[in-house]
Amino acid sequence: MGGPRDAGLEPAGLEPAALWRPGGGGRRARCAHGLRAGGPGAAPSSARPPGGGDGRRLQRGHRGAGSLMIWKLKKQCRAYKFVGHEEAVTSVQFSPEGRLLASSSQDRTVRLWIPCIHGESSVLKGHTAPVRSVSFSHDGQFLVSASNDKSIKIWSVHRQRLLFSLFQHTHWVRCAKFSPDGRLIASCSEDKSVKIWDTRNKTCIDNFIDYGGFANFADFNPSGTCIASAGSNHTVKLWDIRMNKLIQHYRVHRAGVNCISFHPSGNYLITASSDGTLKILDLLEGRLIYTLHGHKGPVLSVAFSKGGEKFASGGADGQVLLWKTNFDSFDYKEVLKRHIRRTHTDDPPHLLDIYPRSPHLHDEKLQSVEVNPTFDVTDTQTPDPPVVEITSPSFGTLDDVSHEDLQYPPASVLATSSKRKSEDESESAMHNVDKQIDISPSLGNALENIVEQLDVLTLTISILEQRLTLTEDKLKECLENQQKILLQGRQEE
């Protein structure tokens, strides 16, 4: 694992989320819980808390099949498996409000889901090769997708139409992300470039070349002034897009870096690597502060929740681990002092790293705390959570048709969204009532099952109504035909 066994380690920067922890226990620096669905090899391509920030749901793409999983993060976890894609899912993301879910797949499509028991989804077609990533704009109005067809496509969420495409990459595009204000897009490709695009002029306005390797992932910091890239050459680089220059360069992993995520404060960056570790970097100090172990194999994805109090990681071992942080409550420097005997020492950080004027290389010989949850806590994983499989009755299949965005969504989508909104509000009200009257867990589970059964009954009634309407139409047609036959008979007489 690299480093001594830290059996008594309790750094203050990380602590478990109380999901299924028996008896409460003391605070530990470890993963909160492991969620497993599918054995090793069913690698989650993306694992992240919802953009809505309610902390109650977690999504995960499934590379072993054309499905994605959503967990309700309660004491008794329940998983929902959404089936619709024909090939492996490569990326998933909740919309900022948490009411929609976007997924990309190797089947060359992007899907928009309404994350409920009904599993409605619409299909966005336009790419001619597997789609690597999909991401919402921060206002939830647009989607950007990146594909092996070397293109980046921007979609309207309301109209569910392709708006325009960007072409300049000369190899597969691995990732594309909107800036916080939505005016820019950052993309990275296997052509070893990271490009910045202006969405208004639909042109590339900046280009960063990394001759050492290509970037697997790129994203803007919360202020939109910098972008970070995760390199296949084991590095993490931070670029200032105002000065058009590399300002920080970290080489702290022993294998390629697959994913990164900024803390909402912009002060921390978490990285996921094929060396099986997660690392947390302090960007103000320019140093590595935590190394986290937990996955048994490459870590493919990581993301902070909207508030930054949790982050989730997904690995090739088929697990999604949920971690809890308290960066704002404790000073990690005090933790480092208490555990100095367990860590490497190094010179103080370069002063220019706070607002560096030139690139400064950071290697892995930095003072940091190494955290291995397998040494510290009892494994509380549930290998086989209850899984509800939901097959998508697609409510729209949308072809590659460029269309100007309209102000209002289609009536069917609007009606469905309104219905779901009312259902979510009802669920939220029920949740608040549960808190007030302190319902027992068994009664709460029974009520949840009743609500789910009511959802199924509602769907069944809707289907029966459709069939009854069809039957009435057929009966009316038969009566009309019968009247025509009788009239023809009378005329012949």
Side-chain angles (χ1 to χ4, degrees), residues 167-453:
F167 299 95
Q168 274 193 30
H169 283 294
T170 58
H171 211 299
W172 296 346
V173 188
R174 308 276 301 194
C175 178
K177 296 282 186 179
F178 279 103
S179 62
D181 60 9
R183 294 187 302 110
L184 302 176
I185 291 174
S187 64
C188 60
S189 166
E190 292 190 16
D191 61 11
K192 298 185 179 180
S193 71
V194 177
K195 296 183 184 294
I196 308 296
W197 307 81
D198 187 326
T199 58
R200 294 171 298 184
N201 301 327
K202 305 172 188 175
T203 57
C204 178
I205 59 174
D206 228 332
N207 190 32
F208 303 100
I209 303 295
D210 187 355
Y211 296 101
F214 61 84
N216 288 313
F217 193 93
D219 199 4
F220 288 90
N221 68 342
S223 66
T225 59
C226 299
I227 58 170
S229 62
S232 61
N233 59 344
H234 313 177
T235 64
V236 175
K237 295 183 178 181
L238 202 65
W239 312 78
D240 190 316
I241 62 176
R242 299 165 299 179
M243 299 187 295
N244 190 23
K245 98 187 299 186
L246 175 68
I247 56 174
Q248 291 189 5
H249 181 187
Y250 298 88
R251 185 173 289 125
V252 294
H253 285 287
R254 299 186 301 274
V257 186
N258 298 315
C259 189
I260 53 175
S261 181
F262 281 96
H263 187 268
S265 67
N267 297 334
Y268 304 99
L269 183 73
I270 188 165
T271 63
S273 169
S274 293
D275 64 10
T277 67
L278 298 156
K279 292 182 185 284
I280 299 178
L281 308 170
D282 185 323
L283 300 179
L284 294 181
E285 294 286 342
R287 66 168 64 235
L288 169 69
I289 56 175
Y290 290 107
T291 298
L292 308 177
H293 299 269
H295 288 282
K296 300 174 182 177
V299 188
L300 303 178
S301 181
V302 67
F304 278 105
S305 61
K306 187 175 182 179
E309 70 282 353
K310 297 183 182 73
F311 63 90
S313 60
D317 55 3
Q319 293 188 104
V320 175
L321 303 182
L322 183 64
W323 309 74
K324 187 174 182 180
T325 69
N326 52 5
F327 290 134
D328 299 329
S329 303
F330 295 89
D331 186 356
Y332 75 86
K333 295 176 186 177
E334 294 299 321
V335 178
L336 296 179
K337 289 179 183 178
R338 293 201 300 270
H339 299 283
I340 189 89
R341 65 184 182 278
R342 296 191 178 96
T343 61
H344 300 288
T345 59
D346 197 11
D347 295 331
H350 200 288
L351 293 178
L352 293 179
D353 282 342
I354 299 176
Y355 295 101
R357 300 187 186 90
S358 61
H360 177 66
L361 179 67
H362 304 267
D363 58 29
E364 61 181 333
K365 293 182 179 179
L366 293 172
Q367 182 176 327
S368 66
V369 170
E370 189 159 337
V371 182
N372 189 341
T374 59
F375 296 148
D376 298 338
V377 296
T378 304
D379 183 8
T380 58
Q381 291 185 119
T382 298
D384 299 307
V387 178
V388 178
E389 184 164 324
I390 301 169
T391 303
S392 170
S394 298
F395 59 77
T397 301
L398 306 171
D399 297 327
D400 180 11
V401 179
S402 181
H403 197 286
E404 290 187 1
D405 192 15
L406 298 181
Q407 184 176 1
Y408 301 103
S412 59
V413 178
L414 186 61
T416 308
S417 300
S418 300
K419 182 179 178 183
R420 296 295 160 255
K421 182 176 181 180
S422 62
E423 289 180 357
D424 289 346
E425 290 173 351
S426 300
E427 181 181 350
S428 176
M430 289 179 61
H431 181 70
N432 293 334
V433 172
D434 289 352
K435 281 186 174 181
Q436 293 175 2
I437 61 177
D438 194 20
I439 294 177
S440 66
S442 58
L443 181 57
N445 292 333
L447 290 174
E448 183 180 349
N449 289 330
I450 291 171
V451 171
E452 290 174 357
Q453 292 298 322

Side-chain angles (χ1 to χ4, degrees), residues 108-126:
R108 307 179 184 182
T109 67
V110 171
R111 277 184 180 260
L112 272 173
W113 305 78
I114 297 176
C116 67
I117 195 70
H118 308 290
E120 294 101 328
S121 71
S122 59
V123 185
L124 308 181
K125 293 182 178 180

